[in-house]
Amino acid sequence: MSYPPISEQVEDLDAARAEGHRKIEWAREHMPILAALREEFEADQPFAGQVIGMAMHVEAKTAALTQLLADGGAEVAITGCNPLSTHDDVSAALDEHPRITSYAKRGVDDEEYYAAIEAVIAHEPTVTVDDGMDMVAAIHEDYPELIDSIIGGCEETTTGVHRLRAMDDDGALRYPVFAVNDTPMKRLFDNVHGTGESALANIAMTTNLSYAGKTVVVAGYGDCGRGVAKKAKGQNAHVIVTEVEPRRALEAHMEGYEVTTMADAAERGDVFITTTGNRDVITAEHFERMNDGVVLANAGHFDVEVNLDELSALAVEEREARDGVREYELPNGNRINVLAEGRLVNLAAPTALGHPVEVMDQSFGVQAVAVRELVEHGDQYEAGVHDLPDELDREVAEIKLAAEGVEFDTLSEEQREYMGSWAHGT
């Protein structure tokens, strides 16, 4: 199916664009890293002649990155990476830029979602920027003839990197992709602080409930789970962690959290937050053990962590208890409340705004320098998943510190020599 840009789908386009620009301007005011890079990119036009295809959460912070790439000379086509995370007004504002075409629209069905991705691919991108790997997958499966003209790609999130590494292990990934998610400036801040703060904030706003005194069950103790657990504990909740990886389970235990199985936690939790990136983390065997009124939210990428098909099959009645809250009543009378249709709660809930602006400034700063690296030195990278060169990640950190007025020490030549030598002993 042919899929139109957002400007052909939104009612009262002028009003939508005005509100979208207002949101984007607020974000840009609090993104000093992108501001510094914008000066460089506008002057140097590093992306002139490039077509960048993006599948991202289309909201104000993402818009700031998209505009940055376009202002650096690129033609950009963008769509969403989650059916419920797009802000239509922001998408409409982006589409007004002379070098940006936005197909992102909130609330699309599966057919429309993939048609929008295909519409982006029809621009024949030379660089891809993904959040979840759906665009990379679509190109490889349906448009392999474009691969030879693609310099490389960047992947934003944990789930996408996992998928890419699996694809790479199978020898199926045919162009280089930077694992932006794995850089320290992304992983240590976006995943820990961004996910921790935004997931809990959006659960609270959607339910109007407190964490104090409740038992919060966090499924998964990677960077995202660590952030959620830390922030929930800081709001006076009792935190239970479930894990499948023994070293992470031990880490959570040593951090002072109760660690147990989901089967055990299901009987005691008040709020359940999944952060695993895997499927069937909470299933029928757990639903049947849960107490009345529990809240279930997913902070992973795809809507597969809570098995909603099994929950719906168990339920004797379903209703919308609040905006963004689906209540399932079980035969025993207990009610289970699922937020945002089991999708990414910090972006798909009705009031969701995603991660804090300052956090995404860092993540998108890394994305921007990663795209610059591909354009300038893409021929140096073979097909496969690559770590971003550490000096680029440090560049983004230094820009942030300068913007915050923070001074830090540097190594002397003697110290640098000492740290780089094996000959110095005690």
Side-chain angles (χ1 to χ4, degrees), residues 16-31 33-43 45-48 50 52-54 56-79 87-102 129 364-365 367-368 371:
R17 282 175 169 171
E19 179 61 16
H21 285 304
R22 191 165 73 105
K23 291 180 178 179
I24 297 167
E25 288 168 6
W26 173 261
R28 285 177 58 162
E29 287 178 14
H30 301 276
M31 302 180 85
I33 297 171
L34 294 197
L37 291 173
R38 181 170 291 103
E39 289 187 19
E40 173 193 331
F41 290 177
E42 287 180 344
Q45 294 290 289
F47 310 130
Q50 303 298 327
I52 300 177
M54 303 176 69
M56 305 282 280
H57 300 291
V58 180
E59 44 77 57
K61 286 94 67 181
T62 307
L65 170 65
T66 309
Q67 290 176 337
L68 171 65
L69 298 175
D71 292 342
E75 296 290 332
V76 183
I78 186 169
T79 188
H87 291 215
D88 286 351
D89 50 6
V90 170
S91 182
L94 273 180
D95 198 58
E96 191 174 16
H97 192 290
R99 288 201 292 270
I100 299 173
T101 306
S102 180
V129 179
F364 288 157
Q367 282 281 14
V371 174

Side-chain angles (χ1 to χ4, degrees), residues 23 82 84-88 106 201-207 320-326 338-354:
K23 291 180 178 179
N82 183 301
L84 293 179
S85 64
T86 292
H87 291 215
D88 286 351
R106 184 180 178 88
N202 281 288
I203 292 169
M205 287 189 290
T206 304
T207 63
E320 295 301 311
R322 286 171 60 88
D323 288 346
V325 182
R326 184 79 172 170
V338 177
L339 274 53
E341 301 178 19
R343 297 188 183 276
L344 191 57
V345 70
N346 59 342
L347 280 157
T351 57
L353 296 174

Side-chain angles (χ1 to χ4, degrees), residues 66-346:
T66 309
Q67 290 176 337
L68 171 65
L69 298 175
D71 292 342
E75 296 290 332
V76 183
I78 186 169
T79 188
C81 65
N82 183 301
L84 293 179
S85 64
T86 292
H87 291 215
D88 286 351
D89 50 6
V90 170
S91 182
L94 273 180
D95 198 58
E96 191 174 16
H97 192 290
R99 288 201 292 270
I100 299 173
T101 306
S102 180
Y103 299 94
K105 188 174 187 296
R106 184 180 178 88
V108 295
D109 59 25
D110 284 350
E111 183 180 9
E112 292 171 310
Y113 175 81
Y114 288 107
I117 288 178
E118 291 185 352
V120 171
I121 295 172
H123 288 254
E124 300 187 0
T126 57
V127 175
T128 60
V129 179
D130 245 333
D131 191 317
M133 207 206 85
D134 281 347
M135 184 168 295
V136 172
I139 289 171
H140 280 73
E141 292 171 5
D142 301 321
Y143 302 92
E145 69 277 7
L146 298 179
I147 290 175
D148 287 344
S149 61
I150 295 176
I151 299 169
C154 303
E155 172 53 53
E156 171 75 9
T157 198
T158 306
T159 297
V161 171
H162 285 168
R163 295 178 72 195
L164 283 166
R165 292 196 187 281
M167 191 176 181
D168 194 9
D169 289 344
D170 287 344
L173 181 56
R174 293 175 52 195
Y175 64 80
V177 180
F178 282 131
V180 169
N181 176 80
D182 293 357
T183 67
M185 280 296 287
K186 200 280 185 186
R187 179 174 50 82
L188 297 178
F189 301 96
D190 184 310
N191 294 4
V192 176
H193 296 285
T195 301
E197 291 183 19
S198 64
L200 292 176
N202 281 288
I203 292 169
M205 287 189 290
T206 304
T207 63
N208 197 30
L209 299 175
S210 170
Y211 295 103
K214 288 187 172 66
T215 296
V216 175
V217 179
V218 180
Y221 201 69
D223 291 318
C224 293
R226 185 180 300 107
V228 171
K230 178 179 181 179
K231 305 295 183 178
K233 185 177 181 180
Q235 296 193 49
N236 299 320
H238 171 64
V239 178
I240 296 175
V241 172
T242 69
E243 247 299 345
V244 297
E245 211 289 322
R247 290 159 295 187
R248 288 182 177 173
L250 181 59
E251 180 185 10
H253 171 70
M254 296 292 284
E255 292 289 337
Y257 300 109
E258 180 182 355
V259 180
T260 188
T261 63
M262 182 59 75
D264 176 51
E267 299 178 350
R268 296 186 284 138
D270 299 306
V271 179
F272 294 76
I273 306 171
T274 58
T275 69
T276 71
N278 208 339
R279 60 175 299 165
D280 298 330
V281 177
I282 302 179
T283 62
E285 67 166 307
H286 308 123
F287 301 137
E288 293 173 331
R289 296 170 180 249
M290 290 179 174
N291 295 317
D292 183 37
V294 299
V295 171
L296 274 58
N298 171 38
H301 188 81
F302 292 117
D303 59 337
V304 296
E305 305 207 20
V306 179
N307 193 317
L308 295 182
D309 290 338
E310 292 185 356
L311 180 55
S312 187
L314 285 174
V316 296
E317 187 175 348
E318 300 179 27
R319 73 183 184 102
E320 295 301 311
R322 286 171 60 88
D323 288 346
V325 182
R326 184 79 172 170
E327 179 187 273
Y328 297 78
E329 183 177 341
L330 302 188
N332 62 4
N334 285 354
R335 294 158 297 179
I336 295 176
N337 299 292
V338 177
L339 274 53
E341 301 178 19
R343 297 188 183 276
L344 191 57
V345 70
N346 59 342

